[in-house]
Amino acid sequence: MHFRLEAVWHCRIFAIPIRGEKDAPNGSPMKTTAGLHWNPKPGVYGTPKGTPQNRSNVIRTQIKGMKTFIRCILFMAFMAFSLGVQGQYADHRNRKVDSLEQVLKTQKLEGEDLYRVYDGLMNGYLQTDAEKSSHYAKLAIELAEKHKLYNALTDSWRVLGLQAYGACLYDSAQHCFDHALQATELMKHEKQYNEKDIDDNLSALYGTLGNLYNIQGKLHLALDYYQKALPIFQKHGWKESECILFYNVGELYLELPNYKAAEDNYQKALNVGQQTGDSLMVSGPYSGLAMTALNAGKYQKALEYAQKSIVYYQNHADEELESLLDSYVLFSRIYHLGFKDLDTAQQYMSKALVLAAKTDSPTNASDAYAQQASLCLERKEWNLAVEWARKALDTNDQDPQHNIGLYKTLSQAYSALGNTAEAQHYINLLHDTMEEQSTTKYQSALSEMEVRYQTLEKEAQLRDLEQRHRMSQLQNWLYIILIVILVIAVAVIMQVGKQRRRISNMQARMEGEAEERTRLGRDLHDRLGGLLTSIHMQSEDENIQELSKQATEEMRRVAHHLMPASLKEKGLATALRDFCRVNPIVSFSHHGQDLRLQEQQEVMLYCATHELVNNALKHAQASHIMVQLMMDEEFAAVIVADDGKGFDPETVEKNMGLRNIRERVELQQGRMNISSSPSGTEINIEIPL
């Protein structure tokens, strides 16, 4: 059976900048530039070394409690967003922190002048020394509170929140951003701050909170905050920020997955991005549209969008290495899954593998190796499929959804190689991971609902009694929803366990039956055959000798066809031909390729055919029985047809014989169709290879 890895493309979070003008640390106005090319060094702020840092990386789904590589992507988005908003991006990496610390030692500064130095230091150490950055942020908070510098207070709390975020202390980060929101609220009561300054801070914090919930897998909460930022962007005409917000929302809907909503938001991002004149603003949305089209099976559309998206990455190959790598993998999947053009798919993978060797991102490299394994599997290059799949797991095994696809590939490849132990090992890993994913989904949904309820509860404290009453009703509904989700989750888990046990029992029964047929055939031949031979030799009666001779031949024929040696030695076609040849009313034909199937598949098809032919001989009163075997690279099929009196499939299939055959066929992911009338019966069994 060919396993085709589904094209599952996941969340890529852009930073959400503000297209406003703020004062740079030196006091001069500076146009913000969104921070889209900001690429922090691995290992800083708690981000593990080797994790992807590019803001347009493709990362895996949130059904996992959020993994390390997603933390790094969103942390980058966090930093670029927050610093871009304040106009800090253009120079914060190059600030001369040593000279600023010297200023603190040599000059006595107060008020806003002192804050400017703290601001330069907390941002200047942002990439290189988390401890010092947090230290100066705390000093800046104390100073801003003392002098009621509310805009500065917002900035300082935000930087401190970013440090907590980078250390994966999400509750602490939430606490800091709440303080930043409170400081922004205080700005509304001070005349020195205009509406644009307040909106600048609010939209930055909304986007930051959206990213915070995004990284925790609380996608609906992330959407809530992104949508709060949207009207502010539209109000001030910040097109690039609006474009990136729509893109982020599209990515979230792709995660859920809701492909229609994802496509709508990518299209909105594209429409707005085209108004900016920035080619980067359209490359992301085109890539998103390509992924939704691929998931929806619209392969020609996916190819057209991907061709438009890759232009920017090819023109900026050095700075967009991960994005270019992802694009090559995307092209390979489109040609592989959509057009079945393995040669072209491999050409793109060859380019991708060159870039995978250069990237520091295990996520991007692992995606490329997984796609290469999928291509090898399609070409029946089993050993290479195993090699690439294992390399993908060695490179990145932190994403359960990613691992599920690789476990399927490995189990399929090992099955084809006849290594049943390894195949079963990866089947077990597959089942265990899928069960863990079901539990994680439920826990994530439960956690998100609890957080949403707590947020609503805070807002309810500012409302009157009527609003509190409404919140109480909402609480009741939430509990009902949680109970329903719990019941559904338990039912799903129990059903999955029941299905696994049924499959395991069926496999054990089939193996036992095959062994029993072999043992029975051997016993008939060795024991009963010896007894009949002895009777033949000792009896002087010619009639008895003739009868014993016929009985011996019939016994040997039955023993042979219970489980013929030719099945194991020469394959299914030869075994069926030998079986049909001994009965004059049974004919056999073989169409297609002469392939060797997996041992379990050959035994199942032989035993099913053996039983169907014997049933026809006993009950159909047929003058002719035809057995056909058809095989190619995609499937194997057996047809048993007779011209007998027929039967009622609804009634007859209730007996154990036909029901057992159908269960064995379904265990191989196959199907059995029965067509019967007074003029004859045809039974068709088909299994995928």
Side-chain angles (χ1 to χ4, degrees):
M1 178 177 64
H2 294 291
F3 171 72
R4 290 184 171 85
L5 187 63
E6 292 297 326
V8 184
W9 294 81
H10 301 283
C11 185
R12 304 176 301 159
I13 305 300
F14 275 15
I16 304 179
I18 298 300
R19 288 294 187 260
E21 291 187 0
K22 300 285 286 184
D23 287 341
N26 60 8
S28 61
M30 178 178 62
K31 186 79 170 180
T32 61
T33 57
L36 290 179
H37 300 288
W38 189 72
N39 192 13
K41 296 178 181 178
V44 181
Y45 314 121
T47 56
K49 292 184 178 181
T51 53
Q53 303 293 338
N54 189 282
R55 55 99 187 101
S56 61
N57 282 340
V58 176
I59 61 180
R60 294 283 171 186
T61 50
Q62 99 291 351
I63 318 173
K64 44 192 169 281
M66 309 314 295
K67 291 135 324 271
T68 300
F69 66 85
I70 300 183
R71 284 202 294 270
C72 297
I73 284 290
L74 280 177
F75 181 50
M76 178 283 303
F78 244 101
M79 307 296 282
F81 178 176
S82 299
L83 296 172
V85 167
Q86 295 303 321
Q88 305 292 345
Y89 171 76
D91 66 340
H92 80 267
R93 290 176 295 176
N94 301 317
R95 291 204 176 114
K96 298 180 179 179
V97 291
D98 292 341
S99 62
L100 288 175
E101 287 187 325
Q102 189 64 27
V103 169
L104 284 180
K105 295 177 182 179
T106 58
Q107 298 184 30
K108 187 176 181 179
L109 303 174
E110 294 180 355
E112 293 187 16
D113 291 334
L114 181 57
Y115 172 77
R116 289 183 184 278
V117 176
Y118 287 156
D119 177 75
L121 288 166
M122 70 183 182
N123 284 294
Y125 280 120
L126 195 57
Q127 288 183 246
T128 58
D129 194 322
E131 184 176 350
K132 284 189 175 182
S133 179
S134 296
H135 170 70
Y136 287 112
K138 292 175 182 177
L139 292 176
I141 288 171
E142 293 178 2
L143 183 65
E145 288 178 338
K146 178 180 178 180
H147 294 279
K148 296 184 179 180
L149 304 174
Y150 298 128
N151 197 19
L153 188 61
T154 299
D155 296 341
S156 304
W157 275 115
R158 181 166 47 234
V159 170
L160 198 60
L162 294 177
Q163 296 295 350
Y165 175 91
C168 304
L169 303 174
Y170 299 131
D171 290 340
S172 297
Q174 176 72 58
H175 174 76
C176 294
F177 298 137
D178 284 344
H179 276 290
L181 281 173
Q182 293 171 11
T184 303
E185 286 295 318
L186 293 174
M187 291 174 61
K188 296 178 181 179
H189 306 290
E190 301 293 331
K191 294 182 179 179
Q192 68 265 37
Y193 303 115
N194 58 40
E195 183 182 24
K196 191 174 183 181
D197 291 331
I198 296 169
D199 285 345
D200 216 11
N201 286 341
L202 282 176
S203 59
L205 288 167
Y206 290 154
T208 299
L209 286 164
N211 287 344
L212 177 65
Y213 286 122
N214 194 336
I215 200 173
Q216 297 176 77
K218 300 168 183 175
L219 300 187
H220 290 90
L221 283 169
L223 286 171
D224 289 345
Y225 279 96
Y226 286 156
Q227 289 166 357
K228 286 182 179 180
L230 177 59
I232 300 176
F233 296 158
Q234 293 174 332
K235 174 182 175 182
H236 294 285
W238 293 331
K239 293 296 183 182
E240 290 183 357
S241 299
E242 184 181 353
C243 169
I244 295 172
L245 185 143
F246 280 131
Y247 177 87
N248 282 0
V249 174
E251 293 295 292
L252 291 183
Y253 277 121
L254 191 63
E255 287 272 332
L256 287 174
N258 184 334
Y259 299 135
K260 181 62 172 64
E263 182 182 10
D264 290 344
N265 280 278
Y266 287 137
Q267 190 60 55
K268 290 177 182 178
L270 180 61
N271 294 340
V272 177
Q274 288 173 335
Q275 298 175 33
T276 67
D278 186 341
S279 57
L280 177 58
M281 289 295 103
V282 300
S283 60
Y286 273 133
S287 179
L289 286 168
M291 289 185 287
T292 55
L294 179 58
N295 278 283
K298 301 175 182 177
Y299 302 114
Q300 186 58 43
K301 274 289 185 185
L303 180 60
E304 293 171 6
Y305 288 133
Q307 288 169 339
K308 294 178 180 178
S309 173
I310 199 175
V311 173
Y312 179 89
Y313 304 135
Q314 288 176 326
N315 292 337
H316 301 78
D318 291 336
E319 62 193 65
E320 296 291 346
L321 186 147
E322 283 82 12
S323 297
L324 185 57
L325 166 58
D326 293 339
S327 294
Y328 286 146
V329 175
L330 173 59
F331 272 101
S332 178
R333 284 175 172 153
I334 291 172
Y335 279 104
H336 173 194
L337 300 175
F339 302 109
K340 313 302 180 187
D341 185 347
L342 298 184
D343 291 338
T344 304
Q346 185 59 60
Q347 290 174 12
Y348 280 103
M349 278 312 305
S350 297
K351 297 178 181 180
L353 293 174
V354 172
L355 298 183
K358 298 179 181 179
T359 182
D360 293 327
S361 165
T363 305
N364 300 78
S366 184
D367 279 348
Y369 301 150
Q371 171 60 11
Q372 182 62 39
S374 181
L375 287 177
C376 291
L377 195 69
E378 188 76 23
R379 294 194 296 262
K380 299 185 182 301
E381 297 171 348
W382 313 121
N383 286 313
L384 286 175
V386 168
E387 179 181 344
W388 284 108
R390 292 181 68 92
K391 186 172 183 179
L393 283 173
D394 291 341
T395 304
N396 174 38
D397 64 352
Q398 299 301 305
D399 180 359
Q401 195 68 21
H402 179 56
N403 293 350
I404 285 173
L406 291 170
Y407 293 156
K408 289 180 180 178
T409 298
L410 285 165
S411 64
Q412 185 65 31
Y414 276 122
S415 294
L417 289 169
N419 191 336
T420 55
E422 284 295 317
Q424 188 61 49
H425 169 69
Y426 284 104
I427 288 173
N428 293 338
L429 284 177
L430 173 64
H431 290 164
D432 293 343
T433 305
M434 292 177 71
E435 284 189 357
E436 290 172 3
Q437 285 295 90
S438 298
T439 302
T440 302
K441 273 187 178 181
Y442 167 70
Q443 291 176 342
S444 177
L446 181 62
S447 173
E448 181 172 354
M449 287 184 179
E450 289 175 346
V451 171
R452 297 188 83 176
Y453 171 70
Q454 292 169 4
T455 302
L456 291 172
E457 190 176 42
K458 289 179 182 179
E459 295 175 354
Q461 294 173 358
L462 304 176
R463 298 177 183 144
D464 56 21
L465 294 176
E466 182 181 355
Q467 290 174 313
R468 294 187 182 187
H469 175 67
R470 292 176 182 175
M471 283 301 302
S472 177
Q473 292 179 326
L474 177 61
Q475 179 183 2
N476 292 336
W477 279 110
L478 285 175
Y479 285 141
I480 292 173
I481 292 172
L482 291 177
I483 292 172
V484 172
I485 291 175
L486 178 61
V487 171
I488 293 174
V490 170
V492 169
I493 292 172
M494 292 179 63
Q495 184 63 29
V496 170
K498 181 178 179 181
Q499 184 69 9
R500 288 184 63 189
R501 288 192 297 273
R502 190 186 74 82
I503 292 174
S504 178
N505 292 338
M506 177 60 69
Q507 288 176 331
R509 190 168 67 186
M510 287 179 62
E511 292 172 359
E513 288 177 358
E515 292 175 0
E516 183 63 17
R517 291 171 73 97
T518 301
R519 185 195 64 77
L520 183 58
R522 185 170 57 249
D523 288 350
L524 283 172
H525 184 275
D526 295 343
R527 297 181 183 179
L528 184 57
L531 180 60
L532 290 172
T533 301
S534 178
I535 292 172
H536 177 77
M537 294 178 64
Q538 295 179 19
S539 176
E540 296 180 358
D541 189 316
E542 293 183 359
N543 290 332
I544 293 176
Q545 288 180 344
E546 181 62 25
L547 288 174
S548 64
K549 179 180 179 181
Q550 293 177 6
T552 300
E553 292 175 354
E554 180 63 18
M555 178 274 301
R556 288 175 177 170
R557 184 186 68 80
V558 172
H560 170 75
H561 291 300
L562 279 172
M563 189 59 69
S566 61
L567 180 61
K568 185 173 183 179
E569 295 172 358
K570 299 182 180 180
L572 180 62
T574 300
L576 288 178
R577 183 178 289 107
D578 291 345
F579 169 65
C580 295
R581 184 180 296 150
V582 299
N583 196 306
I585 72 167
V586 181
S587 64
F588 174 77
S589 62
H590 177 204
H591 308 282
Q593 302 178 36
D594 189 5
L595 303 175
R596 287 307 303 266
L597 313 183
Q598 298 177 26
E599 181 179 355
Q600 192 176 53
Q601 292 174 324
E602 290 187 337
V603 170
M604 186 278 292
L605 288 173
Y606 178 83
C607 292
T609 306
H610 187 279
E611 187 165 349
L612 292 174
V613 170
N614 284 337
N615 285 345
L617 290 170
K618 291 178 183 178
H619 308 296
Q621 298 177 8
S623 60
H624 181 238
I625 300 172
M626 179 178 64
V627 177
Q628 296 184 68
L629 172 65
M630 292 175 285
M631 287 192 292
D632 65 15
E633 295 180 352
E634 299 289 334
F635 73 97
V638 171
I639 299 174
V640 178
D642 65 68
D643 58 359
K645 63 182 182 179
F647 60 87
D648 180 4
E650 294 290 334
T651 302
V652 175
E653 196 171 351
K654 292 180 181 179
N655 69 55
M656 289 297 293
L658 285 179
R659 192 166 72 228
N660 284 343
I661 293 174
R662 185 178 293 279
E663 288 179 352
R664 294 168 188 170
V665 171
E666 290 175 351
L667 187 62
Q668 299 294 332
Q669 289 78 49
R671 59 186 180 181
M672 182 174 78
N673 296 319
I674 300 175
S675 176
S676 185
S677 69
S679 60
T681 299
E682 179 178 306
I683 299 178
N684 188 327
I685 296 174
E686 179 180 323
I687 63 170
L689 302 183

